[in-house]
Amino acid sequence: MRHFGFLILSILLLGSCAKDLGNYNYTEQNHVNIAGIEPSYIAYFGQQLKIDPVLTTDDGTNFQANDYTYEWFTLDSSTTAANADKIKKLGNQQNLDIVLTLNPSISNYGLYYRVKNKQTGYVWEKKVALKVTVEISDGWLVLNDINNEARLDMLAYNAKSKTFINYFDIISKTSNLKIVGKPTLIYYLRNSDFINSKSSARIYVSTDKTTYSINNQLYTWDNYRNLKEEVMRPTPTDYRALVFDSYSSRTYMLDSEGILGYEYITQANMYGATLNRLSTGGTIAISPYFASTRQSNNFLVAFDIQKRRLLIHKNSDRSMIIPSSSNPELFQPDDLKKDLIYLAQAPIANSQIYALLKDPITKKINLIRFTNNNTELVLLGDDAVDSGYGIDQAQFYDVDPTYGYIMYSNNNKIFQYDPFNKVNKLLLDLGNRKLSLMKYQKVSSAGSEGRYTALSKKLMVCSYDEAQPNTSGKMELYNISLSGAPVLAESYTGFGKIVSVSYRE
């Protein structure tokens, strides 16, 4: 048995040293190079997307297209490749040429291109960014009064040409919504839907009859409801919004009943409860001018019309508080003894609040400037203002976000008040044209692109010819300098009487 076992072992060892007659000629895989694809693309929903990659091989031989298979697909950038339900296949051609049906999105898609060798199974991949939008996704929302009826136009930003293109009457052309009433307000904000907490890009259109709430998250115009459905209290048939002010998911709204409401969906705060009161009870008549301070604790400074005092709303409180003063001998915010002309935040370095006040007896005008520190208002200045230019009778007011000037209009002329040098001056004279709107456009926290900030620093002036109000409307944007004359930067025509403008970011 020992001899037999030794024989078997010898045979096995000899067999292992025999010449291998199999086919083991190893060769390096010929690498495929993918070129001709840009790092990122901007594409439009419902329009053609065409990409022609250039494919070559490392060894320099002609690329044999029939030896490979191809795959184009997208993946939501907020997911991983493991989430197969987020993968959208676009095609299996070497070159992509499709009509894009991907939903428009705020964030970029990841666009993938894969080339696979049929014989070896090797795969080469290229990933780039794909921004899907629609032609009217980003731009100025312009609400016109046409014979006492509303028409919504949009100056849409074309990301490829970096220009604005006008689309007239977009509501009637893209949905079955019929806006009823004389137009008064349009306002865009980004928040969450109170029903399902999903992201929502809301466009509010107000008339003297009602307010329409349009969910434009997917850049469509047929998903809408009445603002009444968002208010958690009984409201009249003609209920509507008069003023909005929003910042970082928080929105204040003054409505047609004179109630100042507050919405912060992530904290379960909904419109309905009134802020027109102190914690001790009683009602307060709130001025339509109020200032969102855009700070972490104190979110709003408002004015009590009847008692001529400033009030503060903090955090998620359901009532106002009376602030104290940093210098009670000079500044009593709880008893100003003056009527409010204008109140606003000056979004300059130290985020001041301006309150333009008029003494009901002497008719003298003062501008007080202050900041807020928890429950205390810190006085920065209290200065007399020359009323020779009619600052107390102005139709429109706003604060220049760069220099802190107060801009105001009177008799189709625009004036500028420099609160630091206490100087009034004429800025623009529109001549025979009628001024219908003057403002600076505030951008939301979502508007992080530099061009949004640049737009917010331009003074908007809208005007029309009274002889042809339905066709002569014009929107102009001016650059304002520290001391020089305003410079016209952009001009757009073809509107009616422009009553309100907002920017859809």
Side-chain angles (χ1 to χ4, degrees), residues 350-366:
N350 56 350
S351 189
Q352 299 180 20
I353 304 295
Y354 289 179
L356 195 61
L357 302 166
K358 184 175 184 178
D359 191 302
I361 299 174
T362 66
K363 308 303 179 183
K364 292 182 178 180
I365 300 170
N366 279 68

Side-chain angles (χ1 to χ4, degrees), residues 229-246:
E229 299 178 36
E230 300 177 13
V231 179
M232 302 296 116
R233 73 172 192 274
T235 54
T237 303
D238 61 350
Y239 178 81
R240 59 202 184 277
L242 301 181
V243 183
F244 281 105
D245 193 357
S246 63

Side-chain angles (χ1 to χ4, degrees), residues 42-51 90 96-104 130-137 156-160 165 167:
I42 298 174
Y44 291 92
F45 173 81
Q47 296 189 15
Q48 184 185 47
L49 174 60
K50 187 175 182 180
I51 303 176
L90 302 183
L96 185 65
D97 189 356
I98 61 170
V99 174
L100 193 62
T101 59
L102 285 172
N103 286 330
L130 175 64
K131 173 72 172 180
V132 180
T133 185
V134 293
E135 286 185 304
I136 51 176
S137 62
Y157 180 73
N158 186 295
K160 293 181 179 179
I165 301 172
Y167 293 83

Side-chain angles (χ1 to χ4, degrees), residues 102-142:
L102 285 172
N103 286 330
S105 175
I106 299 171
S107 58
N108 290 333
Y109 288 93
L111 173 62
Y112 293 80
Y113 177 50
R114 286 180 177 174
V115 180
K116 181 179 179 180
N117 188 297
K118 295 179 182 178
Q119 182 178 359
T120 65
Y122 277 87
V123 176
W124 293 267
E125 181 181 279
K126 182 83 170 180
K127 178 191 175 185
V128 298
L130 175 64
K131 173 72 172 180
V132 180
T133 185
V134 293
E135 286 185 304
I136 51 176
S137 62
D138 176 301
W140 295 104
L141 299 164
V142 183

Side-chain angles (χ1 to χ4, degrees), residues 1-9:
M1 290 295 294
R2 285 198 302 270
H3 289 295
F4 180 73
F6 179 76
L7 177 63
I8 296 299
L9 180 60

